[in-house]
Amino acid sequence: MSNPFVRIVEPLDPKQPLKKFFNLSKLEDVRYARLPFSIRVLLEAAIRNCDEFLVKKEDVENILNWKVVQHKNVEVPFKPARVILQDFTGVPAVVDFAAMRDAVKKLGGDPEKINPICPADLVIDHSIQVDFNRRSDSLQKNQDLEFERNKERFEFLKWGSQAFKNMRIIPPGSGIIHQVNLEYLARVVMDQDGYYYPDSVVGTDSHTTMIDGLGVLGWGVGGIEAEAVMLGQPISMVLPEVVGYKLLGNPQPLVTSTDIVLTITKHLRQVGVVGKFVEFFGPGVAQLSIADRATIANMCPEYGATAAYFPVDDISIGYLIQTGRDKEKVLCTKKYLEAVGMLRDFKNSSQDPDFTQVVELDLHTVVPCCSGPKRPQDKVAVSDMKNDFETCLGAKQGFKGFQIAPDRHNSVVKFNFEGCDFELAHGSVVIAAITSCTNTSNPSVMLGAGLLAKKAVEAGLTVKPYIKTSLSPGSGVVTYYLRESGVMSYLSQLGFDVVGYGCMTCIGNSGPLPESVVEAITQGDLVAVGVLSGNRNFEGRVHPNTRANYLASPPLVIAYAIAGTIRIDFEKEPLGINASGKKIFLKDIWPTRNEIQAVERQFVIPGMFKEVYQKIETVNKSWNALDSPSDKLYTWNPKSTYIKSPPFFDGLTLALQTPKTIENAYVLLSFGDSVTTDHISPAGNIARNSPAARYLTSRGLTPREFNSYGSRRGNDAVMARGTFANIRLVNKFIDKQGPQTVHFPSGETLDVFDAAERYKQDGHPLIVLAGKEYGAGSSRDWAAKGPFLLGVKAVLAESYERIHRSNLVGMGVIPLQYLPGEDAGTLGLTGRERYTIIIPEKLKPQMKIQIKLDTGKTFQAIMRFDTDVELTYFHNGGILNYMIRKMAS
C-alpha cells in the first residue's frame, strides 16, 4: 500500500537526492507548531509509516488534533525506530523467540519469520554481582565469577545474535544499557533505508526513559510487548496528556543533579503523571548538561510518567560531538531537526508549545537531599536526615516506619571483624555503593565524588573496613576519566574500587555482607542502612539485611560511608576526627562547582569515548571464546536449569478460543498499595528455604550455584517458583512479612507457589487483590508471566503502573480496576470470598463488568483493556499467541 503523505517527501540535501525525509513543515497545518515536541515525534512516525492498514490517515489526524482529543482515550499506533534490551529481560525474550519459531513450524508456517524487523541491541549488564570488593583485583574476580555462573546463558545469547538478523549483543563488562545507549547507541536522528527520521526507542527496562534526556523519545515496555515490536507490530497507545515542566533559575553551588531529580520525583508524584508524558521546557533547562537531563529522565518511572522528554537543542548537538559521534552525521542531524522544526531553543518562549498542564520548579529552591528509607519519592533534605530516620524508627510499620520499640532505639551490638572490635546500631551504614547509570553517566557527580574522596584522604579520614563499599560505573569511559584526572587512587583508598561494569547493587546484585555483620544485625534486630547512587530502594531490593536504603548522589554516598551512620547532622557533627585529633566536617571536603567543572573540561574528551566504544563488541576475550550452535532452531537441553522451552504455546492452534467467565476463583494474595514488580518477581538472591531452591537442589545444584532469580529468567520452572517470593512481601492473609499465603480449602499456611499448585491441581482459578500503584517499578515481564503460570486469571486493583498493566494484557491476565471511590475496604472485601468474574460475549475497551461473590454480593469493576488492539490480544490469549497465529497464517 502506498503512503498518502509522499507529497511532503524531499531530499535533505539536493546533492544527495537518495537521502530523503518527510518534511513536516510542508504540512502547512497551524496545529503542528503548537504540538509538544514529544508528540511531534509520534506524528512523524505515524506519517512515515502510514499505509492505511496498521497506520491510517485518521491516526495522523488524531495526533495533529492532540490538543482536542488528548482527554478522550484516543488510540494511536506508534512504531519506534529501535528496541533495546538488557540480559535479565533479553534472555526470556530470546527464549520466547526460539519457542515461537518452534510453534510457527508446528502450525505449518516459516519459523524464520520470527525475526526482529527493526534494530535490536541487547546489553549484558544485569549478571555481574559484588562478590569481591575493597581489593585491586575485584573487577577481574567478579567478572570471572560472572562467566562461571552465566556461561550457559551467554552461550544462548550468542546463539541468538547469530540466529536472528538485526540483533546485536553488547558483551558483559561493557557497561550499563542506558549509559551505553546514551554514549554510543543513540542516533538522535536515524539514517536508514534512504530516509532521515527521529530516533525513538522502546526498551525492556523501565529506565529506558534515560535517553529522553538526549532528545530521543523512549520509554520502557514489557518484554512481551517489545517482542511484538521487534516483529513489526506497532505499539497501540492511548494518545497521552503532556505535562509541561517548566524549569527556572540556576541550581545552588552545592546542589547536584541527583538532588534535582529526587526533588522532581517527589513533586511529580504529588502532581500525578502516571500514563502521561512529561516535557521539560523553560530557561532553566539551558542550565543543565545532557548528563543532568539524562539523570532526571532516568528516574521517570519513579515519578510514574511514561516519558520525560527534553527536546533536542544545541547542548544536545554538542554532547554528540563530545562523545565522539561522527561530525558529518551530527551536522546532518542538526540540519534535519531544523528543517522539521524539532530543534529547541529553551530561552525562546515563542517556541513553547501547548501543554495539558504546566507545573514549575525554580532550580534555586533545590537543596541537597536523599530519598528513603523505602521509596524513591520519599525525599528528605540532608539537613533533616538524622531526625527523619529517628522518627521512622518508632513509626508504625510502613513506607516511613519500622515500628522499633522506643527502649530499643539506641541498641548497640558489638562484633568482631578481621580481628578488630566494632559496634553496629540502628542507622549504621553497611553498604555504600556508587552504582547505576542514573548517576555514573554524569561526569559532574562522579568527578565530584572523586574530588571529595581526594580531600577526605588528605584530611586523614577513612571508611570502616566492614562497610561494603563499591564503585560500578556505567561505562569504561568513567574509569578512564577518573583515572586520568588523578582521583581514582583516592576512591580506592576509601574502598571504592571498580568492582564491575553493570547494574550491580542498584538491582540487588550487591553480593554477601560479612557474616559477622549479618550476625550482629540479626542479633540486635537492627535497621541497618544501605546508601546508593541508584534509582530504586524498595524493600528487599538492595539487600535482605538492609531494611533502610537511601538514594543519594555519589559524593553523599562517600560522606555517609565515612560517617558510618545515617544518624548524623552534617552541619553540626563532624564526619570524623583525623589522627591529629582535628574534627573534619563535610563542608571542609565538599568540592566547589568551579573545581568540578574545571576538571571535567580538561579530562572528559571525545577521544575517550571513541577509544572505549570502537572496541566494545570485541574487547571481552571470554565472550569471544564462547562456542554457540549455528542452527536457526534452538536445540533445547532438558538438563539445563537456565534455558528451558516455556509452556506458553503448548497446545496452541490457529483457531481462537472464546474467553470464558472466571467462576468461583479463590484469592491467592491480598495486598495494600505500592506492590512492586520486585515483590511479584524478585531479581536477587534465591533464598535457601524457597520453592525455587528446593527445585534447584532436586536438580543437583548446591546453594553456591543457585545464582539469582534474574539470571534464571530463561527457565519458567524456577521463575514460577520465584513468583511472589520476595522476603518483604506483605500479604493481608498473613500476620508477618514473607512469601506465604493461606490455602483456604485446607486452612494451611504455605509458600505462595505451593498454595497455587494445590489450587491448580484441584482445578480452582485464582485472582489477586491489590491497592494503588500495583506493579510499580521495573518493567519485568515475569511479574506477569509468573502469576499466569500460577493460575492467576485476573488482578483486581485500585490502580496500575503503566508497564505492568501492559504486561498483564500481554499474557492474557485480566487487569480489573475498582470503580472510582471504591476499594476492597469500601466494598467490604476480605479476600476470603470466592469470585465469579462475568466476561460478556461482546467486549469493548474499558468496559464495566460484573463480579459476583459466593456471599451473594455483586459489584462492578472496569476491565482495563484500554484499546481495541489489547482486546484482540486478549481474544488470542496474549500478544505472543497473536503474533504466532499471524506469522503462521
Side-chain angles (χ1 to χ4, degrees):
M1 298 181 183
S2 61
N3 188 317
F5 291 95
V6 290
R7 59 185 173 81
I8 63 170
V9 171
E10 62 181 42
L12 185 64
D13 184 343
K15 297 177 182 178
Q16 293 183 299
L18 298 181
K19 295 278 191 173
K20 296 169 286 188
F21 74 112
F22 283 82
N23 191 347
L24 303 193
S25 64
K26 287 199 168 183
L27 288 173
E28 297 177 353
D29 193 313
V30 293
R31 293 173 295 177
Y32 177 66
R34 304 306 309 160
L35 287 178
F37 282 64
S38 51
I39 300 298
R40 296 181 198 188
V41 178
L42 299 183
L43 176 68
E44 194 283 337
I47 286 175
R48 179 168 34 84
N49 291 296
C50 190
D51 59 5
E52 294 305 313
F53 178 60
L54 288 174
V55 184
K56 301 178 175 62
K57 282 182 74 174
E58 67 187 76
D59 297 319
V60 173
E61 179 63 22
N62 279 332
I63 299 173
L64 272 169
N65 216 27
W66 168 83
K67 188 173 182 180
V68 175
V69 304
Q70 58 177 302
H71 305 293
K72 299 181 179 179
N73 286 328
V74 172
E75 174 188 353
V76 295
F78 175 54
K79 293 188 79 169
R82 299 183 291 123
V83 174
I84 59 171
L85 312 94
Q86 36 88 342
D87 55 302
F88 270 18
T89 51
V91 167
V94 180
V95 166
D96 286 348
F97 273 9
M100 288 170 77
R101 279 192 170 180
D102 292 343
V104 168
K105 185 180 180 183
K106 285 177 184 175
L107 292 175
D110 178 5
E112 290 193 41
K113 283 187 177 179
I114 301 295
N115 193 89
I117 291 172
C118 66
D121 294 304
L122 192 158
V123 181
I124 300 174
D125 63 0
H126 272 51
S127 301
I128 193 165
Q129 301 184 34
V130 191
D131 291 288
F132 297 91
N133 68 309
R134 285 189 175 242
R135 45 191 291 172
S136 59
D137 61 351
S138 294
L139 173 62
Q140 188 59 53
K141 292 186 80 66
N142 286 329
Q143 288 181 336
D144 290 345
L145 198 50
E146 176 190 22
F147 260 83
E148 181 185 324
R149 288 176 175 142
N150 297 282
K151 184 181 178 185
E152 189 179 339
R153 295 172 65 243
F154 293 168
E155 286 174 341
F156 176 69
L157 287 176
K158 197 164 187 181
W159 167 80
S161 69
Q162 297 166 352
F164 299 102
K165 300 171 185 174
N166 274 338
M167 181 175 284
R168 172 171 52 175
I169 307 289
I170 304 298
S174 303
I176 302 174
I177 177 174
H178 309 304
Q179 189 161 340
V180 173
N181 192 22
L182 183 73
E183 296 175 351
Y184 175 61
L185 298 174
R187 284 80 148 172
V188 177
V189 169
M190 301 291 289
D191 176 3
Q192 193 142 331
D193 300 327
Y195 282 90
Y196 290 104
Y197 53 93
D199 188 5
S200 58
V201 63
V202 292
T204 59
D205 188 284
S206 54
H207 294 105
T208 299
T209 52
M210 182 169 177
I211 203 61
D212 290 337
L214 184 58
V216 176
L217 185 63
W219 62 84
V221 295
I224 306 157
E225 192 172 15
E227 292 166 35
V229 170
M230 285 190 274
L231 295 174
Q233 188 75 2
I235 289 173
S236 175
M237 61 186 296
V238 173
L239 198 60
E241 298 178 21
V242 183
V243 175
Y245 199 92
K246 190 172 187 178
L247 295 176
L248 304 163
N250 293 307
Q252 295 183 52
L254 299 181
V255 164
T256 68
S257 58
T258 314
D259 304 318
I260 295 171
V261 72
L262 295 180
T263 301
I264 289 173
T265 299
K266 181 175 183 178
H267 185 198
L268 285 176
R269 270 289 173 188
Q270 292 169 337
V271 170
V273 291
V274 173
K276 303 175 184 179
F277 283 5
V278 174
E279 184 167 310
F280 293 86
F281 75 111
V285 178
Q287 306 301 317
L288 302 176
S289 68
I290 294 303
D292 291 338
R293 300 176 195 181
T295 298
I296 294 167
N298 177 284
M299 286 191 69
C300 174
E302 280 64 57
Y303 40 87
T306 300
Y309 191 63
F310 289 84
V312 182
D313 68 348
D314 283 334
I315 293 176
S316 317
I317 299 298
Y319 179 82
L320 295 176
I321 298 295
Q322 183 193 26
T323 50
R325 264 71 165 211
D326 182 271
K327 289 185 178 179
E328 189 173 326
K329 289 182 178 178
V330 174
L331 288 174
C332 288
T333 293
K334 185 173 183 179
K335 187 174 182 179
Y336 167 80
L337 293 168
E338 287 175 331
V340 295
M342 290 193 198
L343 190 68
R344 189 74 163 92
D345 178 359
F346 289 105
K347 295 178 181 178
N348 181 359
S349 60
S350 68
Q351 285 189 4
D352 293 352
D354 293 328
F355 293 112
T356 309
Q357 173 188 3
V358 172
V359 291
E360 294 184 357
L361 174 68
D362 184 347
L363 292 172
H364 193 71
T365 64
V366 177
V367 297
C369 56
C370 300
S371 278
K374 302 181 186 181
R375 295 192 303 181
Q377 62 262 44
D378 292 331
K379 177 180 75 87
V380 186
V382 171
S383 58
D384 296 332
M385 280 286 285
K386 181 178 181 179
N387 288 337
D388 187 81
F389 178 81
E390 291 175 349
T391 300
C392 289
L393 269 184
K396 182 181 177 182
Q397 183 69 242
F399 298 126
K400 294 288 286 185
F402 298 101
Q403 210 160 332
I404 303 295
D407 61 344
R408 292 185 47 241
H409 285 198
N410 295 312
S411 298
V412 172
V413 178
K414 298 180 184 296
F415 71 102
N416 187 275
F417 178 75
E418 295 183 345
C420 297
D421 292 328
F422 296 96
E423 292 181 347
L424 282 184
H426 295 298
S428 290
V429 174
V430 295
I431 290 177
I434 299 176
T435 181
S436 170
C437 53
T438 309
N439 284 289
T440 69
S441 60
N442 195 323
S444 65
V445 293
M446 294 303 291
L447 288 168
L451 291 171
L452 184 141
K454 179 176 184 291
K455 293 185 177 189
V457 170
E458 290 172 345
L461 298 177
T462 60
V463 175
K464 292 181 177 69
Y466 63 81
I467 296 177
K468 188 159 192 179
T469 48
S470 61
L471 168 59
S472 49
S475 80
V477 175
V478 179
T479 308
Y480 204 145
Y481 66 65
L482 289 176
R483 186 176 62 242
E484 291 298 305
S485 61
V487 298
M488 192 72 241
S489 62
Y490 296 101
L491 287 163
S492 296
Q493 287 179 65
L494 292 180
F496 291 91
D497 299 279
V498 173
V499 295
Y501 296 97
C503 301
M504 304 189 91
T505 301
C506 185
I507 60 165
N509 285 359
S510 46
L513 289 173
E515 285 188 21
S516 58
V517 172
V518 173
E519 289 170 3
I521 293 170
T522 305
Q523 178 188 334
D525 191 26
L526 298 177
V527 180
V529 174
V531 185
L532 65 154
S533 64
N535 46 41
R536 289 201 174 125
N537 54 346
F538 301 130
E539 275 189 289
R541 177 183 175 94
V542 175
H543 194 281
N545 296 113
T546 56
R547 286 156 70 184
N549 296 281
Y550 288 91
L551 307 181
S553 66
L556 280 175
V557 171
I558 295 176
Y560 280 114
I562 294 169
T565 179
I566 214 79
R567 298 168 81 170
I568 181 173
D569 184 338
F570 286 131
E571 294 178 9
K572 300 175 183 176
E573 301 171 62
L575 272 178
I577 300 172
N578 65 16
S580 304
K582 183 182 178 183
K583 294 180 179 179
I584 308 297
F585 288 81
L586 181 58
K587 64 184 178 182
D588 299 328
I589 61 170
W590 193 272
T592 67
R593 178 165 293 177
N594 287 339
E595 286 179 273
I596 296 169
Q597 289 176 342
V599 175
E600 184 175 351
R601 280 193 297 270
Q602 184 176 354
F603 292 104
V604 184
I605 56 176
M608 287 182 176
F609 292 88
K610 286 181 179 177
E611 185 175 335
V612 168
Y613 282 113
Q614 68 186 4
K615 55 188 180 184
I616 191 171
E617 294 178 48
T618 58
V619 72
N620 192 313
K621 294 178 182 178
S622 298
W623 174 264
N624 297 338
L626 285 176
D627 287 325
S628 60
S630 57
D631 302 336
K632 297 298 182 183
L633 292 175
Y634 187 70
T635 303
W636 306 96
N637 178 1
K639 296 181 180 179
S640 174
T641 57
Y642 277 106
I643 307 298
K644 178 177 175 290
S645 181
F648 306 134
F649 316 121
D650 292 351
L652 183 67
T653 64
L654 287 174
L656 295 184
Q657 304 296 315
T658 303
K660 298 177 181 177
T661 289
I662 300 167
E663 295 188 7
N664 285 316
Y666 281 97
V667 177
L668 179 63
L669 297 140
S670 179
F671 296 126
D673 297 339
S674 297
V675 170
T676 72
T677 51
D678 278 297
H679 290 116
I680 304 168
S681 183
N685 294 333
I686 298 173
R688 296 187 183 193
N689 62 346
S690 65
R694 292 195 289 273
Y695 169 80
L696 292 171
T697 301
S698 73
R699 301 297 299 268
L701 275 66
T702 64
R704 183 179 177 276
E705 298 169 306
F706 287 172
N707 210 334
S708 64
Y709 283 114
S711 67
R712 292 193 178 272
R713 287 183 183 162
N715 187 313
D716 62 272
V718 175
M719 296 309 296
R721 288 164 172 81
T723 303
F724 300 112
N726 190 306
I727 62 170
R728 302 295 181 197
L729 195 73
V730 178
N731 174 14
K732 291 181 180 180
F733 298 151
I734 305 292
D735 59 5
K736 62 180 180 179
Q737 287 185 337
Q740 292 189 314
T741 194
V742 175
H743 177 253
F744 288 113
S746 67
E748 291 181 70
T749 296
L750 302 171
D751 288 331
V752 174
F753 174 78
D754 295 335
E757 282 294 286
R758 287 256 197 108
Y759 284 123
K760 189 184 295 185
Q761 289 165 8
D762 294 335
H764 297 310
L766 297 170
I767 68 169
V768 169
L769 299 183
K772 300 180 182 70
E773 299 174 357
Y774 182 73
S778 300
S779 63
R780 55 191 62 160
D781 52 351
W782 270 108
K785 288 177 174 176
F788 170 84
L789 291 178
L790 295 187
V792 173
K793 303 299 182 184
V795 177
L796 175 57
E798 291 178 59
S799 66
Y800 295 88
E801 289 290 286
R802 176 186 59 84
I803 297 174
H804 184 63
R805 187 200 63 82
S806 173
N807 274 336
L808 291 173
V809 171
M811 285 308 299
V813 177
I814 304 173
L816 298 171
Q817 190 162 315
Y818 293 104
L819 298 184
E822 293 185 353
D823 57 35
T826 62
L827 292 170
L829 306 181
T830 66
R832 297 172 184 271
E833 312 88 352
R834 297 184 71 175
Y835 292 66
T836 295
I837 300 166
I838 298 171
I839 309 297
E841 190 173 328
K842 292 185 178 180
L843 300 176
K844 58 183 180 180
Q846 296 195 352
M847 71 181 298
K848 295 176 183 176
I849 54 101
Q850 295 284 329
I851 299 176
K852 293 182 178 180
L853 307 182
D854 62 345
T855 61
K857 184 181 181 66
T858 300
F859 64 96
Q860 287 188 317
I862 301 166
M863 186 181 275
R864 284 293 311 277
F865 296 120
D866 290 353
T867 67
D868 287 321
V869 171
E870 289 185 347
L871 282 173
T872 299
Y873 297 155
F874 176 60
H875 283 293
N876 277 270
I879 191 171
L880 299 185
N881 291 357
Y882 167 79
M883 294 306 298
I884 288 171
R885 289 189 174 106
K886 181 179 177 181
M887 296 296 180
S889 60

